[in-house]
Amino acid sequence: MRSLLMHSPIAIALFWIGNYLLITLLPLFVLLIYPPPGARGFWVDFSVALGFIGLATMALQFVLTARINRIEASYGVDILLQFHRLTSLVAFFMVLLHPVMLFVVQPETRQLLNFLEAPWRARLAILGTLAFVALVVTTIWRKPLRIPYEPWRTSHTVLSVLAVGLGLGHALGVSNYLALFWKRMLWGSMALIALWLVVYVRLIKPWMMTKKPYLVEDVIPQRGNVWTLTLRPWGHDGFRFQPGQFAWLTLDITPLSMREHPFSMSSNADHSGRIEFGIKALGDFTSTIETVKPGTKAYLDGPYGVFTVDRYGDAAGFVLVAGGIGITPMMSMLATAAERKDDRPYLLIYASKTWDDITFREELEALEAQLDLKIVHVLKEPPETWSGEQGYVDKALLDRHIPKYKATRQYFICAAPKMMDQVERALHDLGVPVPQVHMEHFNLA
Ligand SMILES: Cc1cc2nc3c(=O)[nH]c(=O)nc-3n(C[C@H](O)[C@H](O)[C@H](O)COP(=O)(O)OP(=O)(O)OC[C@H]3O[C@@H](n4cnc5c(N)ncnc54)[C@H](O)[C@@H]3O)c2cc1C
């Protein structure tokens, strides 16, 4: 019973949420312990509390985004990033509410907005808030503002360090709750841990990766404008992964440049000496894959992700729903299952544009012969002679193919965001239990 509780998703969620709340609120409670705060009125204290909780929540974002394996392995990068976005927005509104409340209950504080005449502690607050506003605006509206991903990522780190650093500088400058030395040390250490995580993620980890390079062995063209990039570890054993997981790939440049891209491994997970990625030419980086020469150096940071059949060893079978390049994690799951002689039933519902576009079509046919695997191709533009499924993967189509005893299977979806939403909703309408549906989004930012 105890071990069941320890491993149930709800218990894990409660554990992390409990820890999160504790870490966010504890530094504030510590400020209130001793000496007791002077009576400044409820609204003033409430506004200050919002500022402190906002600051602590911001500092914790560095932990959420540091790719810490233990945290990541509980949920996967998708949920972690959603949590990061949500809690950052909550922190943003708390930080904004802090001065707004003060301006209302103590109108004389409004003169602190006069940047040239305000004391430096108020200037730090203004600059920190502006950094936070820029952070939120450039993240929510990155695409409409046409900010390319790489510069956005660098500015995101710089602005968050500035927002937290200036916010803490403001709190230390006000020196009301943080007047005592040990309280200053406590909050200062929190900021230092956050800064250390930035240095670790941006410098130390990439430097460690330079010690474990890979070499490109092959670049093989596939159907559907996709290339299989094959890597071999050079001077080390590579890494073990679970089928369906992904890694961050850096190609032909040092990992310290932080120009890395996430890709799901498409190869057999039990062969760490040869790792393959199926990469679709969609943008600046992915369009260069076809020109990569064998012998090019590469670096991998991984494995990451929880989108894997290995987490469900007791499932009676699997339903995989892929759209386009979303086939890569499924390829890894099926290739690994074939090698492991897994005799459980697999159903693959695979949406492509045309018959000729079906990435890994021949490889999948070969897997059909080795596994209890049924493949349902769904074509958007089928040939005239096509008698199979066509159009969209909707509720009716799923109902025709997924097993009668739906709850005995685990379901994996990887496709374009719209298709994933539709399939998720359709599975839900068909009575598939929510915890048995797993999704991998290829668009993190
Ligand atoms: C978990 C995961 C697994 C993935 N697996 C595969 C796969 O197996 N095969 C495949 O072809 N694609 C995969 N992708 C998508 C792939 O990472 C992006 O297509 C690629 O990074 C786009 O880079 P680009 O410079 O070619 O395109 P761009 O035109 O520069 O970018 C297109 C969009 O891709 C996203 N993007 C760009 N650069 C990055 C980056 N460094 N990190 C994260 N997102 C970025 C941004 O949202 C951007 O707007 C995966 C993505 C994720 C998150």
Side-chain angles (χ1 to χ4, degrees), residues 184-251:
R184 288 170 169 268
M185 288 305 286
L186 177 84
W187 278 75
S189 323
M190 267 174 49
L192 279 181
I193 291 172
L195 194 62
W196 157 252
L197 284 171
V198 175
V199 173
Y200 175 75
V201 171
R202 291 258 155 186
L203 296 175
I204 297 174
K205 204 167 176 196
W207 176 77
M208 284 174 359
M209 279 162 63
T210 61
K211 308 285 166 212
K212 290 192 167 185
Y214 290 74
L215 289 185
V216 172
E217 190 174 78
D218 259 327
V219 181
I220 306 163
Q222 303 284 353
R223 295 175 178 281
N225 209 15
V226 172
W227 273 263
T228 292
L229 182 80
T230 307
L231 304 181
R232 269 197 195 280
W234 188 27
H236 59 101
D237 295 336
F239 64 63
R240 290 192 63 79
F241 62 93
Q242 296 176 335
Q245 286 191 299
F246 72 96
W248 294 84
L249 168 73
T250 306
L251 207 56

Side-chain angles (χ1 to χ4, degrees), residues 142 149 260-264 278 280 283 285-286 325 328 442 444-445:
R142 177 177 76 82
Y149 181 82
E260 48 178 4
H261 293 256
F263 295 102
S264 303
K280 187 163 176 100
F285 173 72
T286 44
I325 193 60
T328 51
F442 275 6
L444 287 184

